[in-house]
Amino acid sequence: MQHLLDHLLSYKNGIETSSRLETALDEAVKRTLVDSAFRVQLGASDDYWKLYNAAFLTLSQDTNEQCVVSLIKLTRNIVAGEYENQKLAIQYGALYKIEELLAEKIASPSDNTMVLQVCTQAICNMITNNATAIDFIWKVWMSNEKRGSVWSYMLSKSDATLIMSTLILIINCIRGSQERCDLLVSRKMGQDIIAAILGDIERLHGNEQDKNFELGYTVISELITFGHFNTLYQHVDDASDKNPISDHQVILLKLLDSKIHAHQKEQTFPTFIQHEELKFLTVQFGMIGRQALQVIVQVKENGSQLQPDQISNVYTAIVLLLQILNELFVLDEDHSQGTKPLLVDADALTLVTDMLGHLETLKVPTPSQNDTDPQAGFNFLKRECVRMMGTMCYKDTFMQDKIRQLGGIPLVLCQFKIDDSNPYLREYATVALRNIMENNPENQKLIEELKPEQVVETEELKQMGIVPELTQDGKLRIKRP
C-alpha cells in the first residue's frame, strides 16, 4: 500500500508524471481484484483519501485522461461493499468530486464514454447498501437540478454500457424504499429520469432479453409496487403527446401486464393493485375501449384498409387493458377486491359485445406467414372480448340475461373456430358459452332454436379441398370437388 501512496505523493509534489502514476494505479487496480485485505486497507486509509483529493484535482485537467480513469477505477474497487470505506470516501468529498467530473464530461462534445462509465460505477459503489448515504444523496439529486439532471442525460446516451451502469445505480437507490420512489415520481428530475427509461425500453421493444430492458423494467416495476402506476400513467407525458394515448403510456401498460402475469403463479390478487388502481384501469378501459370501437366502425363503414401507424396505440392499449382486467378478474375470485362491480359500472359487457360484433363483420387483410405485426388485423382482441364476456356471465343470471339481450350469444357461437390471430379463441368461447348457459333456461332455449343460415368457406377448407354445403333441412353436407 505504501508503494502506491508514495507514487501519489510524488505526483502531488510534481516529481512524477501522470504516465508513471497511471502504471502504479493500474497495478493497484489489478491487486484489488485478488487481494481483499489490500483493497479494504487502502480504502480505510486517511492518507489515501488525502492524496486522492490532491491527485484528482490535477488529473481531472490532465490531457492524459486514462490516468484519472485509473484513479477512479481504484476508488470504485476499494469502496465496494465496505461501509467504513464508503464513509471515508464521502467524508473526504470523493463522491462530490466524481459527480462534478461526470457533469463536466457529459456536457463535452468529445467521446468520454470510459470516464462516464467508471464515474457512474464509482458513485454506485460509494452508496450501495449504505442507507444513510443513499437517503442523503437521493434527496440532493431529486432537488438539485445541476446534480440530478446528470442521470437523465446519461440515460439518453446511445451507449448501452453507460445506460446499464446508470440503471443499476437507480435500482440500488430506490429498491425497497417508499420515500425514494415517491421522490423519483414527484420531482422534475425524477420524472425526466423515468421518461428517459421509458424511452430506452421503447427503443429496445422486441428485444426483451436485452439486459437494459430488464433493468428498465425493474425500475418501473419497483415504482408500481409502491403504488405509483396511476401517477406514472397520467403524468409521464405532456397532454399534447397523448393523442389519444402516448407511446410511453402503452409501454407502462405492457410493463403492468407483465408484472401481473408474473404474479399469477402465486394465485393471489396482487398487492400492488389497490382499489384506486383497479378503478383507474377500469375507467381507462372504458375510455380507450370506446375509442377502439370508433376506429373499428370507421374502418368497417369506409371499407378502407387498416392503417396500423394511425391506430396502433389505441389497438395495443385496449388489448393490454383487456388482458390486465381479465387476469385481475380471475384472481379476484371471491370478489373481495371489487373488480366485477367496477366493470359492471363501466358497462364492460356492452362494450366488449359491441366490439366483438363489429370485429366479426370486419374484413381485414389475411396475415401472411411473414407478417408478425399483430396490428394488421386486431389480433388478440376477439379472444380478450370473449374472455371478458365469459367471466362476466359466470354464475350471474343478470349478466347472462343481458348478454342474450345484447345479441352476444350468436357472436360467441361464431368463435368456435381456429383463428391464428386469436390463439385459444375456440377454447375461451367454449368456457364463455358454458358460463352463459349455466342454469339459464332462456339462454339454453335460444341456442336450441338457432338455425344455421349460411356456410362460410375458409382458406383452410379450400386448401384441404373441402366444400361445405347447407342443405334445405339445415344440415351440413361436405362435398369434395
Side-chain angles (χ1 to χ4, degrees):
M1 185 179 79
Q2 189 59 47
H3 177 69
L4 174 64
L5 296 179
D6 290 342
H7 277 285
L8 287 168
L9 182 60
S10 296
Y11 178 77
K12 173 192 172 186
N13 294 331
I15 301 172
E16 189 169 297
T17 65
S18 61
S19 297
R20 286 194 62 191
L21 177 60
E22 181 188 341
T23 301
L25 289 169
D26 287 342
E27 290 175 356
V29 169
K30 292 176 182 176
R31 187 175 173 186
T32 59
L33 300 176
V34 296
D35 188 343
S36 178
F38 169 75
R39 185 176 69 83
V40 174
Q41 185 182 11
L42 183 62
S45 168
D46 287 279
D47 289 338
Y48 170 78
W49 293 110
K50 291 173 184 176
L51 292 169
Y52 164 89
N53 278 340
F56 187 90
L57 290 173
T58 306
L59 285 173
S60 60
Q61 305 303 319
D62 198 300
T63 54
N64 180 12
E65 190 175 86
Q66 188 55 47
C67 192
V68 75
V69 168
S70 297
L71 181 62
I72 298 170
K73 281 183 178 180
L74 180 60
T75 302
R76 173 197 66 190
N77 290 3
I78 64 177
V79 298
E82 298 296 332
Y83 180 73
E84 293 301 324
N85 294 5
Q86 291 173 334
K87 281 175 58 179
L88 281 176
I90 295 170
Q91 178 183 323
Y92 278 96
L95 175 61
Y96 183 66
K97 288 181 175 64
I98 292 175
E99 272 193 78
E100 283 192 317
L101 180 63
L102 184 66
E104 176 189 328
K105 295 297 183 182
I106 205 169
S108 171
S110 57
D111 182 10
N112 295 303
T113 301
M114 179 56 72
V115 179
L116 297 176
Q117 181 182 337
V118 295
C119 283
T120 304
Q121 291 171 345
I123 292 170
C124 186
N125 284 2
M126 282 183 191
I127 62 176
T128 297
N129 296 327
N130 186 331
T132 303
I134 293 175
D135 279 339
F136 173 77
I137 197 65
W138 192 250
K139 288 174 183 175
V140 171
W141 287 342
M142 293 299 105
S143 58
N144 186 309
E145 184 175 359
K146 179 183 176 182
R147 295 177 70 177
S149 61
V150 166
W151 305 118
S152 57
Y153 288 134
M154 287 285 286
L155 290 167
S156 67
K157 292 287 185 178
S158 58
D159 186 271
T161 307
L162 288 181
I163 294 171
M164 182 183 298
S165 299
T166 307
L167 288 171
I168 291 171
L169 171 63
I170 293 168
I171 290 168
N172 287 343
C173 286
I174 68 170
R175 179 175 283 147
S177 172
Q178 176 79 58
E179 182 182 8
R180 292 193 286 273
C181 284
D182 292 350
L183 286 171
L184 182 60
V185 171
S186 62
R187 299 296 177 86
K188 176 64 169 60
M189 269 62 71
Q191 291 165 4
D192 290 344
I193 288 172
I194 292 168
I197 291 172
L198 291 173
D200 287 329
I201 292 175
E202 180 183 2
R203 181 174 52 80
L204 293 169
H205 176 65
N207 187 18
E208 297 182 7
Q209 301 303 314
D210 187 283
K211 183 65 176 176
N212 285 347
F213 183 95
E214 181 183 333
L215 292 170
Y217 169 81
T218 301
V219 173
I220 303 301
S221 177
E222 193 74 3
L223 297 178
I224 293 173
T225 295
F226 284 106
H228 289 297
F229 176 80
N230 294 5
T231 304
L232 288 172
Y233 189 89
Q234 290 174 294
H235 301 298
V236 70
D237 292 305
D238 294 332
S240 58
D241 294 326
K242 302 170 185 175
N243 188 24
I245 179 171
S246 74
D247 293 341
H248 287 169
Q249 288 176 317
V250 170
I251 291 169
L252 285 169
L253 288 173
K254 288 180 179 178
L255 298 180
L256 179 63
D257 183 48
S258 296
K259 189 173 175 69
I260 293 171
H261 184 73
H263 179 84
Q264 273 188 316
K265 61 184 178 182
E266 299 183 25
Q267 297 184 334
T268 59
F269 198 87
T271 56
F272 53 85
I273 299 291
Q274 298 295 314
H275 187 74
E276 281 303 309
E277 282 80 21
L278 198 54
K279 184 177 180 180
F280 180 79
L281 288 167
T282 308
V283 170
Q284 294 304 311
F285 165 69
M287 291 170 51
I288 297 171
R290 287 188 290 273
Q291 291 168 348
L293 187 58
Q294 288 176 5
V295 170
I296 296 168
V297 171
Q298 287 172 2
V299 172
K300 179 181 171 183
E301 290 178 349
N302 297 335
S304 60
Q305 296 292 313
L306 296 178
Q307 299 180 30
D309 58 324
Q310 296 179 6
I311 65 168
S312 61
N313 280 0
V314 172
Y315 153 75
T316 306
I318 192 58
V319 171
L320 287 167
L321 282 164
L322 275 167
Q323 287 180 174
I324 289 167
L325 290 170
N326 279 327
E327 289 166 356
L328 292 176
F329 204 162
V330 171
L331 293 173
D332 189 16
E333 188 175 1
D334 60 358
H335 305 305
S336 61
Q337 304 298 323
T339 308
K340 187 166 185 176
L342 287 171
L343 289 169
V344 171
D345 289 344
D347 201 10
L349 187 61
T350 300
L351 182 55
V352 293
T353 303
D354 285 348
M355 276 196 283
L356 185 61
H358 286 292
L359 286 169
E360 190 59 28
T361 56
L362 177 66
K363 293 183 179 180
V364 297
T366 302
S368 65
Q369 290 183 346
N370 297 325
D371 188 0
T372 58
D373 184 3
Q375 298 153 10
F378 289 107
N379 291 19
F380 317 119
L381 191 49
K382 281 187 178 182
R383 180 190 70 189
E384 295 306 319
C385 286
V386 171
R387 282 181 71 187
M388 178 70 74
M389 293 163 77
T391 314
M392 291 291 288
C393 291
Y394 179 66
K395 296 187 182 302
D396 188 325
T397 303
F398 179 81
M399 286 292 148
Q400 290 173 335
D401 292 342
K402 183 170 183 175
I403 200 170
R404 182 182 68 250
Q405 294 158 8
L406 291 169
I409 295 177
L411 288 175
V412 173
L413 288 171
C414 288
Q415 310 313 312
F416 281 82
K417 56 191 174 185
I418 296 174
D419 184 345
D420 292 336
S421 300
N422 291 274
Y424 302 107
L425 175 62
R426 183 170 56 182
E427 288 76 9
Y428 281 117
T430 302
V431 174
L433 188 62
R434 182 200 66 187
N435 292 348
I436 290 168
M437 293 175 61
E438 187 177 23
N439 298 323
N440 192 307
E442 290 189 57
N443 286 356
Q444 294 170 13
K445 182 181 178 183
L446 184 148
I447 292 174
E448 288 175 0
E449 293 175 348
L450 287 175
K451 295 181 180 180
E453 295 181 353
Q454 69 178 87
V455 175
V456 178
E457 293 187 44
T458 65
E459 286 297 322
E460 291 82 359
L461 291 175
K462 289 179 181 178
Q463 290 173 7
M464 291 187 288
I466 295 175
V467 179
E469 184 181 75
L470 198 63
T471 63
Q472 290 184 347
D473 59 358
K475 294 182 179 180
L476 182 66
R477 182 170 63 189
I478 302 297
K479 295 197 309 181
R480 291 187 180 274

